[in-house]
Amino acid sequence: MTSSKKDPARTLVILGGADGSVSTYERARELGFRTICVDVRPAAPAVAYADEFLQVSVRAPEQIAAGLAGRRDLAGVLCPASDVGLPALAWLTRHWGMPDPLPEYAVRASTDKSVFRALCDHLGLPSYRSVDGRPGPELVHAAQQLRFPALVKPVDSSGSRGVVSCAGPGLLPKAFTESLAFSPSGRLVVEEHLDGSHFTIEALVVDGRIVFHAVTERVLTPPPFFVTSSHLLPAELPADVELGLIEALDRICTELGYRTGPLTLDAVLGRDGRLYLIEMGARMGGNGLAEAIAHCHGADLIGAGIAAATGGEVALDLHEPKPTLVHILASDRGGHLSRVDGADDVRAMPGLVGLHLFADAGSFVRPYEQAGHKLGYVVLTAGSVPELLAAENAVRGTLKFLLHDQDMAVPLP
């Protein structure tokens, strides 16, 4: 990224202070930018990493603009690790005249799962049956025509919030009630369950073309929550599937009018050998993915995303892939955290890239039913996948989260 030391516009507005955005604040500082964290929660994990804090909802762009009125140092707006702030990002980039404002179609495809499903159908990409709408007799009737088991999801949530597995048509009303609590718009989508291997795709778009993409093999917690527990990369797709993926990503960006910036997608490689794109976000992914990709491929996606947001030169310095893994730290039960044992031993392990803890003594720990309930994550590299998995097991056996009034540490997924 090119910039001038005399340029006063060196402050980034970062929408959201969730744990998944911490690495963005850290990288921005390394690149010489100041950061403003916008969040309603003063105790959000990333607040401590920002230079300034603006206590405003990321859903309220007019209030954000008012809170920063008259500032001449704003260089760009970022919304890492969450789709919630993307409508505000699109509004603010236009309001402040930032480069490459996010197209409204890209916002809708990122924040409404039914819009992305319709986009994939329009482009003729591998698809599966789904129905969407407001809970009621009509949606129940439409969903009853699907193959079960099915998944009920809010159309506008992320991080596995509100995803409910539904084993049969008779359970739809109950699933609707559980899922609806996580939908700001009050709308749901019901999808046929895809059986296969789960992947995440992180990509970079420059001038309307995919210039880089990385695929991770994603492990999920067992039903009913389906939350990410680890990412292994590089993941290898069959050659024909890989070629089809690149073509599909280019076509999606063209259709959306998405010119420059990051892109994250979840996908399932079905047992029929076809790759099904599940949902997308016109943003960077969370869960330490950017950190892992930097060590696996050499691609600094955060730096590239900052360059794209500020009108700088986007450049990547790639190397041969090295096996890398992100392991999510979490609990299967709730309670107050008494202490964390073994952190120093983990930090001393060979191959450790980073250990990030988002809970300390006295914190209230929630069961890992959604991505925001993680206790942290660890990033590891090794010379081979077996060595990497052995290192992951070593972390499991070393790092212990102990809760008050319990005699044993909570298990890690």
Side-chain angles (χ1 to χ4, degrees):
M1 182 181 62
T2 59
S3 61
S4 169
K5 292 183 178 180
K6 296 181 180 180
D7 184 359
R10 298 292 291 172
T11 299
L12 299 173
V13 178
I14 302 181
L15 304 178
D19 51 60
S21 65
V22 167
S23 54
T24 299
Y25 290 86
E26 292 179 321
R27 185 67 181 126
R29 176 166 293 179
E30 292 172 354
L31 292 172
F33 287 91
R34 290 177 52 80
T35 56
I36 301 173
C37 174
V38 180
D39 204 299
V40 294
R41 305 163 298 159
V47 172
Y49 295 84
D51 296 291
E52 301 178 49
F53 173 58
L54 179 63
Q55 191 173 4
V56 176
S57 170
V58 298
R59 299 180 186 271
E62 295 92 344
Q63 294 181 30
I64 297 170
L68 298 174
R71 296 283 295 255
R72 297 182 178 275
D73 59 331
L74 305 182
V77 188
L78 297 170
C79 183
S82 174
D83 300 320
V84 173
L86 288 178
L89 182 146
W91 191 95
L92 290 167
T93 51
R94 287 177 172 81
H95 178 73
W96 287 325
M98 301 293 185
D100 285 314
L102 188 62
E104 290 298 328
Y105 194 0
V107 173
R108 291 190 290 113
S110 301
T111 58
D112 188 325
K113 295 176 177 63
S114 65
V115 172
F116 183 65
R117 288 263 53 78
L119 171 63
C120 291
D121 291 341
H122 171 70
L123 294 176
L125 302 178
S127 191
Y128 50 93
R129 294 198 301 167
S130 66
V131 295
D132 63 271
R134 296 187 179 278
E138 291 186 6
L139 186 59
V140 169
H141 177 72
Q144 286 173 341
Q145 314 310 310
L146 302 177
R147 184 185 69 247
F148 284 80
L151 292 178
V152 179
K153 306 175 181 178
V155 299
D156 46 3
S157 73
S158 60
S160 300
R161 290 185 292 272
V163 178
V164 179
S165 179
C166 187
L171 298 175
L172 284 168
K174 180 177 182 293
F176 286 179
T177 299
E178 293 179 17
S179 185
L180 188 62
F182 297 89
S183 175
S185 69
R187 294 176 54 243
L188 305 175
V189 60
V190 187
E191 304 174 347
E192 292 184 343
H193 178 71
L194 282 174
D195 192 17
S197 301
H198 292 260
F199 297 88
T200 290
I201 300 146
E202 296 290 310
L204 182 65
V205 188
V206 177
D207 294 330
R209 304 290 295 178
I210 300 295
V211 299
F212 171 82
H213 77 286
V215 182
T216 81
E217 184 177 343
R218 188 163 67 113
V219 176
L220 305 179
T221 60
F225 300 116
F226 306 99
V227 193
T228 301
S229 62
S230 70
H231 288 277
L232 175 65
L233 57 160
E236 292 188 4
L237 296 173
D240 60 331
V241 173
E242 179 77 15
L243 290 174
L245 170 61
I246 298 171
E247 179 185 355
L249 296 181
D250 278 333
R251 292 177 63 198
I252 286 171
C253 292
T254 298
E255 189 72 17
L256 294 176
Y258 188 36
R259 298 287 302 165
T260 300
L263 185 66
T264 182
L265 305 99
D266 290 336
V268 172
L269 181 62
R271 297 195 182 278
D272 59 0
R274 306 174 80 196
L275 188 69
Y276 296 86
L277 302 177
I278 308 300
E279 54 190 64
M280 66 154 275
R283 58 169 176 83
M284 291 176 281
N287 286 335
L289 278 177
E291 189 177 357
I293 289 169
H295 283 81
C296 177
H297 296 281
D300 178 10
L301 291 187
I302 297 178
I306 291 173
T310 57
E313 180 184 352
V314 178
L316 298 174
D317 184 14
L318 305 180
H319 57 61
E320 285 297 313
K322 182 177 182 180
T324 307
L325 182 141
V326 180
H327 178 86
I328 306 300
L329 307 171
S331 171
D332 66 344
R333 70 199 73 171
H336 284 89
L337 187 61
S338 173
R339 68 180 190 275
V340 181
D341 287 348
D344 289 341
D345 292 332
V346 169
R347 291 189 178 97
M349 289 182 175
L352 180 84
V353 172
L355 171 62
H356 303 265
L357 299 176
F358 303 130
D360 50 21
S363 301
F364 183 75
V365 170
R366 298 181 183 276
Y368 190 51
E369 299 172 357
Q370 53 184 265
H373 293 171
K374 71 173 71 68
L375 303 180
Y377 63 86
V378 61
V379 182
L380 302 163
T381 64
S384 68
V385 172
E387 290 177 311
L388 194 57
L389 297 179
E392 182 187 24
N393 284 331
V395 171
R396 288 175 181 267
T398 304
L399 193 62
K400 304 294 182 183
F401 295 88
L402 293 102
L403 304 185
H404 287 296
D405 304 321
Q406 297 188 19
D407 295 330
M408 62 180 64
V410 294
L412 304 176

